[in-house]
């Protein structure tokens, strides 16, 4: 199995900056980048630098997070599994390759399921996560890499062969050129002329086949996203047995409970 290398963050993963309503009520936590967004637009005032706290100049569209302890405490900058404070990464409990295809109302309310893991623990869980993805793929009757993956591989192979012939065919040994043309013929169904070979070398393989990413197929089969999330959360707990899980983190938390900083509408007297 191939997977992307994990890169540790060079600074704190979670800034845990505080956002207050105009009357001083704490709404929740957010990243320094979001704080700066409000300050740059004169939409908030800096109240404190330790921790960084801003007070909005505008009444928010809602105060959804004020009674939720998970929204208010912030996230620790340590691995929730082993407690390490070094080589930390963001881990998506529900795999990002699935989340990015979820409807917006779920995709934008997913901060609960982003937790800190050190590189070592993250790598360990990725292997187990792959097994669960493979199970979902088998249930859907597709490859874990997506629908029509074999056809996509053929399309990439065809482009690679065509590129070699188009760019270097006149310089390679005749027997090698014949070998590549035969390979192109096997995939393409017939031996194309040089003009078509050039076109094949420039094609986008994903446009040539009915390719659908794994995550999109999985999302299309989900009836209850809260229950789907619960399954991934329980899997993470069962496999990794985290000893330092974020306080108030829950397996049964619903997406609609999450608080997301939004852009606010300016009031007439602000």
């Amino acid at each position: 199995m191939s997977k992307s290398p994990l890169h540790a963050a060079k600074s704190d993963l979670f800034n845990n900056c505080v956002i207050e309503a105009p009357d001083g009520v704490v709404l929740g936590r957010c990243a320094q980048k979001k704080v700066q967004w409000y300050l740059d637009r004169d939409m908030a005032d800096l109240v404190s630098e330790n921790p960084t706290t801003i007070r909005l100049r505008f009444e928010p569209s809602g105060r959804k997070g004020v009674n939720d302890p998970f929204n208010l405490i912030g996230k620790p900058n340590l691995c929730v599994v082993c407690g390490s404070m070094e080589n930390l990464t963001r881990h998506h409990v529900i795999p990002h390759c699935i989340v990015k295809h979820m409807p917006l109302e779920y995709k934008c309310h997913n901060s609960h399921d982003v937790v800190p893991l050190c590189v070592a623990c993250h790598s360990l869980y990725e292997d187990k996560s792959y097994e669960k993805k493979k199970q979902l793929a088998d249930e859907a009757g597709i490859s874990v890499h997506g629908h029509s993956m074999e056809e996509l591989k053929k399309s990439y192979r065809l482009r690679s062969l065509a590129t070699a012939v188009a760019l270097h065919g006149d310089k390679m040994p005749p027997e090698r050129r014949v070998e590549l043309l035969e390979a192109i013929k096997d995939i393409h169904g017939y031996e194309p002329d040089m003009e078509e070979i050039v076109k094949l070398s420039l094609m986008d393989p994903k446009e040539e086949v009915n390719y659908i990413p794994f995550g999109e197929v999985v999302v299309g089969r989900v009836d209850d996203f809260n229950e789907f999330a619960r399954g991934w959360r329980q899997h993470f707990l069962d496999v990794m047995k985290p000893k330092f899980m974020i306080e108030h983190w829950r397996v049964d938390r619903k997406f609609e409970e999450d608080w997301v900083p939004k852009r606010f509408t300016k009031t007439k007297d602000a």
Side-chain angles (χ1 to χ4, degrees):
M1 174 191 64
S2 61
K3 56 186 177 182
S4 301
L6 298 169
H7 300 287
K10 296 180 180 179
S11 57
D12 285 346
L13 285 179
F14 304 107
N15 306 131
N16 293 318
C17 300
V18 179
I19 294 184
E20 296 179 350
D23 58 1
V25 173
V26 176
L27 297 172
R29 303 276 181 154
C30 70
Q32 182 69 42
K33 183 177 180 180
K34 176 61 72 173
V35 162
Q36 199 59 49
W37 189 91
Y38 288 121
L39 293 175
D40 289 346
R41 289 161 178 77
D42 294 324
M43 297 174 72
D45 295 307
L46 184 64
V47 176
S48 171
E49 294 184 351
N50 188 27
T52 300
T53 303
I54 59 171
R55 182 168 298 165
L56 299 174
R57 294 182 177 180
F58 315 96
E59 181 58 32
S61 58
R63 298 195 178 196
K64 190 174 182 179
V66 296
N67 296 317
D68 187 341
F70 180 83
N71 287 331
L72 301 178
I73 62 172
K75 295 180 180 179
N77 285 289
L78 57 81
C79 176
V80 298
V81 173
C82 70
S84 173
M85 301 178 69
E86 299 180 352
N87 299 319
L88 296 179
T89 65
R90 279 183 173 84
H91 170 64
H92 293 79
V93 176
I94 307 169
H96 182 64
C97 66
I98 295 176
V99 171
K100 68 181 181 181
H101 295 288
M102 290 167 66
L104 189 61
E105 61 266 33
Y106 302 111
K107 181 164 49 180
C108 289
H109 292 77
N110 189 46
S111 67
H112 174 263
D113 296 306
V114 180
V115 301
L117 287 185
C118 68
V119 169
C121 290
H122 201 160
S123 296
L124 179 62
Y125 182 69
E126 283 300 298
D127 290 338
K128 299 298 181 182
S129 174
Y130 182 85
E131 293 176 7
K132 184 170 175 63
K133 292 177 192 173
K134 181 68 166 59
Q135 179 184 348
L136 291 174
D138 290 343
E139 291 172 358
I142 63 169
S143 162
V144 74
H145 301 292
H147 181 60
S148 298
M149 189 62 190
E150 291 305 315
E151 291 302 314
L152 185 63
K153 287 180 180 178
K154 287 182 182 179
S155 191
Y156 272 109
R157 173 65 175 159
L158 179 60
R159 186 179 69 175
S160 177
L161 292 166
T163 300
V165 173
L167 296 180
H168 310 294
D170 58 340
K171 297 188 267 314
M172 63 179 58
E175 59 273 15
R176 177 58 177 162
R177 178 184 169 87
V178 170
E179 180 183 340
L180 295 184
L181 290 174
E182 282 296 319
I184 290 174
K185 180 179 177 181
D186 288 342
I187 299 174
H188 199 51
Y190 63 90
E191 185 176 317
D193 58 26
M194 199 60 203
E195 182 179 351
E196 190 170 358
I197 286 176
V198 172
K199 289 182 180 179
L200 290 173
S201 72
L202 300 173
M203 71 175 177
D204 182 347
K206 289 187 178 181
E207 292 183 357
E208 300 299 316
V209 298
N210 185 27
Y211 175 72
I212 306 175
F214 161 78
E216 185 176 338
V217 176
V218 170
V219 165
R221 292 168 54 85
V222 174
D223 294 321
D224 185 333
F225 283 99
N226 282 314
E227 192 60 31
F228 180 75
R230 180 188 179 100
W232 274 103
R233 293 167 189 156
Q234 191 62 57
H235 182 267
F236 178 71
L237 293 184
D238 292 344
V239 170
M240 299 305 291
K241 297 177 174 54
K243 299 178 178 64
F244 303 89
M245 201 58 188
I246 302 169
E247 190 177 2
H248 304 297
W249 189 92
R250 305 191 337 259
V251 170
D252 62 350
R253 184 181 176 88
K254 299 185 185 307
F255 283 99
E256 52 266 32
E257 295 180 55
D258 201 22
W259 182 79
V260 178
K262 297 179 180 178
R263 300 183 183 187
F264 297 87
T265 303
K266 189 173 184 178
T267 58
K268 292 180 180 179
D269 56 350

